[in-house]
Every structure is written in structure tokens, then in C-alpha cells.
Amino acid sequence: MNSTNSKKQVKKPKILAVDDVSVVLNAITSALEAHYEVFCLTKAEQVERFLKNTDNVPDLFILDIEMPDMNGFDLIKEIREFEEHKETPIIILTGNATVRNFHVAFKQGVMDFIAKPVDSKVLLEKVNAQIKRK
């Protein structure tokens, strides 16, 4: 019996990261890709189109707050309009980690808040915790 045929392929949870800075998206991908299927978008306005593709249903979102086309708080509202994402965990990853932004994020149901620059081990631990909780 071939051992590769007897093992079930385990599907990796899907993460959608949205940030207008490609270096940040590269850091997120590097930190998570061994354990997760990571999708990256550089514009918040691309998210609705992405979510309408039912093959790509994220298990968790990582969002920046300050982006040129739509801020992260407005993007959260847009994501929550999708029935299947009313409870999907969201982590904010921002260079603007103010107390005000922290409070606004948690009022909108964000599960965690990380200040940039991102530490890959911290990011992985926080994502793992949210995926396990889900």
C-alpha cells in the first residue's frame, strides 16, 4: 500500500491579508505560509470581489487601518455584510497603534490588535490562537 495515497491531504486554513504596503504583505506571508494558505490584497476595494469567489473563504482576516482607498474600519463593516463572515476573526496590524484605534477596533469586533513592525513569531502565535478559538 502506498503511504502517500493513504494519508489524507489536510487543508490549510485560509488567511486574507490586506495592506497597501507590499513589504508588510511579504512579512505576513513569510510568517504564516508554512501553516496557512495566505492571500494578499494591496487595496481594500479588492476585498468584496475576492469574497464573492466562494472558493476563497478566509478563516481569518489581517487588516491594516490606514490604506489610501478605504480605511480598515470601513473594510471591517464591508466584510461583516457577508453572512459567512459575521463571526470570522479579524486581526488589525497597524503602524498607527493609538488608544483610539484600539478602542474603535474592538468595538467593531476585532479579535486582536498588533502594532507594526510585525514580529513574525508574535503574528504566528496570535493567528494560531484565533484559528484554534474559531
Side-chain angles (χ1 to χ4, degrees), residues 73-116:
F73 298 130
D74 291 336
L75 182 54
I76 292 168
K77 292 174 190 169
E78 185 175 289
I79 289 168
R80 295 299 191 215
E81 288 177 10
F82 286 82
E83 191 60 38
E84 64 271 27
H85 294 299
K86 292 211 181 288
E87 302 294 323
T88 303
I90 296 174
I91 295 175
I92 292 291
L93 178 63
T94 184
N96 192 6
T98 65
V99 171
R100 181 196 173 280
N101 283 341
F102 181 86
H103 287 294
V104 171
F106 281 96
K107 282 182 182 177
Q108 286 190 286
V110 167
M111 299 304 292
D112 214 330
F113 193 96
I114 305 171
K116 293 178 184 175

Side-chain angles (χ1 to χ4, degrees), residues 25 39 56 74 92 99 101 103 114 119 123 128 130 132:
L25 293 173
F39 299 92
N56 297 320
D74 291 336
I92 292 291
V99 171
N101 283 341
H103 287 294
I114 305 171
D119 178 88
L123 179 63
N128 286 342
Q130 292 306 317
K132 285 178 186 171

